[in-house]
């Protein structure tokens, strides 16, 4: 082979190698970013066998305990229409009898319905329970929630359910006037509609998309733990059983994909349900901090729900408005994160 042929062969090989390298680089660039194992992560990630026998990093959730549900709040005249249910003087009803008399559903239309008994020993109102005895009862239906105000049809259903319970335990119910309760429900619903704040930020990828594992790894470093639904992570409240402080969501289909490494995510949503979270958790401050840190570490941009980039002036304005909202809710005995606020804004 002549020197010219050798030179051409070498040049051709170099060009071919460059083409292959460029193709590999382009393919790698367009792939969703993957989580990286870091020994400094203090065990947040564990290595488990993959389906093909290889090892891949996955989020270790064994360190986290998800909140359990707390007992539902007691009936309160501020938010419930309440009917007193009187027994014959000196009579008591067992918890078992009361439970057997309860209606099969605990809703009236779109509103929660509840029955409580006055414990003959402790003197406390509580949900009927086995092994207890009760000297009086009360039934209640919530006046308003995010489904709207209690209406005449729902109040009539409340009367029917309460009367059936009272008849089953040989008691007599006393109902308030429907027109008064419906008027109260409308006033409460109007207040709730004006003061119901649910904030959402979007975090959008600037360049390369993200894999579910990549999102989970970065979110876990900021305190998020897996939620009960695919594509959902939460920062739990400091008190176990209360609603989460923040919720991070991404495409659930991406989270359920067979090949998670090829599942591409280009947008995350960060949610704060103001009425559900105690002011002392500093939820908005944490929301801003989380959004900024995720956007920086994952090369994204923070926007509102209309896709407009959020500026510091915008965030400061939201913070000022929230302080006024918190104060108004507290003055009406619906402090954010309280039992009554969680019921009203649900």
């Amino acid at each position: 082979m002549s020197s010219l042929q050798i030179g051409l062969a070498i040049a051709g090989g170099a060009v071919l190698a460059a083409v292959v390298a460029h193709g590999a680089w382009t393919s790698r660039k367009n792939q969703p970013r993957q989580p990286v194992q870091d020994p400094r992560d203090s065990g947040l990630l564990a290595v488990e066998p993959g389906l093909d026998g290889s090892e891949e990093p996955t989020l270790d959730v064994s360190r986290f305990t998800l909140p359990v549900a707390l007992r539902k709040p007691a009936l309160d005249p501020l938010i419930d229409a309440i009917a007193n249910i009187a027994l014959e003087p000196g009579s008591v009803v067992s918890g078992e009898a009361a439970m057997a008399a309860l209606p099969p559903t605990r809703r009236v239309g779109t509103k929660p319905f509840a029955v409580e008994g006055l414990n003959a020993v402790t003197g406390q109102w509580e949900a009927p329970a086995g092994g207890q005895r009760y000297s009086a009862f009360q039934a209640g239906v919530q006046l308003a929630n995010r489904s709207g105000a209690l209406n005449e049809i729902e109040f009539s259903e409340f009367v029917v359910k309460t009367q059936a319970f009272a008849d089953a335990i040989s008691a007599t119910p006393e109902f308030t006037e429907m027109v008064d309760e419906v008027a109260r429900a409308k006033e409460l619903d109007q207040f709730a509609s004006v003061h119901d704040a649910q904030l959402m930020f979007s975090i959008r990828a600037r360049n390369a998309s993200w894999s579910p594992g990549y999102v989970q790894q970065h979110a876990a470093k900021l305190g998020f733990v897996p939620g009960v639904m695919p594509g959902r992570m939460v920062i739990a409240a400091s008190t176990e059983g209360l609603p989460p402080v923040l919720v991070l969501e991404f495409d659930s289909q991406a989270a359920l994909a067979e090949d998670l490494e090829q599942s591409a995510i280009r947008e995350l949503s960060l949610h704060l349900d103001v009425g559900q979270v105690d002011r002392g958790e500093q939820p908005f401050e944490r929301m801003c901090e989380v959004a900024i840190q995720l956007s920086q570490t994952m090369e994204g941009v923070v926007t509102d729900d209309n896709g407009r980039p959020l500026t510091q002036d915008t965030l400061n304005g939201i913070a000022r408005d929230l302080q006024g909202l918190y104060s108004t809710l507290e003055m009406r005995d619906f402090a954010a994160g309280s039992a009554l606020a969680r019921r009203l804004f649900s």
Side-chain angles (χ1 to χ4, degrees):
M1 182 180 292
S2 68
S3 298
L4 177 59
Q5 289 176 319
I6 294 174
L8 291 174
I10 294 175
V15 170
L16 178 62
V19 170
V20 171
H22 178 73
W25 176 83
T26 301
S27 176
R28 186 165 56 250
K29 178 183 178 182
N30 292 330
Q31 282 188 335
R33 295 188 176 186
Q34 304 300 322
V36 178
Q37 178 67 25
D38 188 338
R40 296 171 298 178
D41 284 346
S42 303
L44 276 176
L45 292 178
V47 177
E48 299 178 355
L51 295 178
D52 58 355
S54 61
E55 292 187 340
E56 56 186 16
T58 58
L59 187 65
D60 179 10
V61 300
S62 63
R63 293 179 48 190
F64 305 113
T65 301
L66 294 180
V68 296
L70 294 178
R71 179 183 179 276
K72 292 184 177 180
L75 293 173
D76 191 301
L78 191 63
I79 195 175
D80 298 300
I82 299 176
N84 294 318
I85 304 173
L87 302 175
E88 292 294 329
S91 299
V92 293
V93 173
S94 69
E96 288 79 5
M99 293 168 67
L102 291 173
T105 62
R106 301 295 186 270
R107 298 194 74 80
V108 169
T110 60
K111 309 300 183 296
F113 168 84
V115 172
E116 294 183 336
L118 184 62
N119 192 300
V121 176
T122 66
Q124 300 294 317
W125 289 102
E126 63 186 31
Q132 304 298 318
R133 297 167 71 82
Y134 300 97
S135 58
F137 292 89
Q138 60 182 9
V141 59
Q142 192 164 315
L143 293 171
N145 58 14
R146 282 176 173 158
S147 296
L150 181 77
N151 58 40
E152 290 84 353
I153 295 176
E154 290 173 325
F155 188 88
S156 299
E157 185 181 345
F158 163 63
V159 170
V160 170
K161 282 194 172 185
T162 302
Q163 185 67 62
F165 172 80
D167 291 343
I169 60 172
S170 301
T172 303
E174 180 182 356
F175 297 101
T176 52
E177 292 292 332
M178 179 175 67
V179 63
D180 295 335
E181 297 296 3
V182 170
R184 282 210 306 140
K186 290 179 179 178
E187 189 277 333
L188 183 59
D189 180 58
Q190 183 178 13
F191 169 82
S193 298
V194 173
H195 298 91
D196 189 2
Q198 300 177 71
L199 303 179
M200 189 194 83
F201 292 168
S202 292
I203 304 170
R204 303 170 189 258
R206 289 183 182 273
N207 300 305
S209 59
W210 310 308
S211 69
Y214 185 81
V215 173
Q216 291 167 349
Q217 183 179 56
H218 283 276
K221 292 178 180 179
L222 298 177
F224 284 91
V225 298
V228 295
M229 301 294 291
R232 178 183 171 99
M233 300 184 75
V234 302
I235 289 182
S238 55
T239 300
E240 185 178 7
L242 294 183
V245 177
L246 297 174
V247 175
L248 183 70
E249 291 183 327
F250 56 89
D251 184 8
S252 60
Q253 295 301 315
L256 293 171
E258 292 185 7
D259 188 351
L260 293 179
E261 290 189 1
Q262 298 301 317
S263 185
I265 299 168
R266 297 202 60 84
E267 182 176 352
L268 312 175
S269 59
L270 187 61
H271 301 266
L272 166 58
D273 194 336
V274 175
Q276 294 286 324
V277 183
D278 190 283
R279 185 180 191 175
E281 296 275 11
Q282 296 186 307
F284 183 67
E285 292 83 354
R286 295 169 71 177
M287 184 182 193
C288 294
E289 180 182 356
V290 163
I292 291 171
Q293 291 194 33
L294 285 177
S295 66
Q296 290 176 345
T297 59
M298 298 171 61
E299 295 187 14
V301 58
V302 183
T303 72
D304 61 17
D305 52 359
N306 293 317
R308 295 185 296 257
L310 288 172
T311 65
Q312 189 60 54
D313 287 342
T314 302
L315 297 178
N316 291 341
I318 296 173
R320 286 192 298 269
D321 291 342
L322 280 178
Q323 295 310 310
L325 174 61
Y326 283 134
S327 298
T328 301
L329 291 175
E330 290 166 2
M331 286 189 293
R332 286 289 299 266
D333 293 327
F334 287 106
S338 66
L340 291 181
R342 296 198 306 274
R343 293 179 61 195
L344 180 61
F345 300 114
S346 65

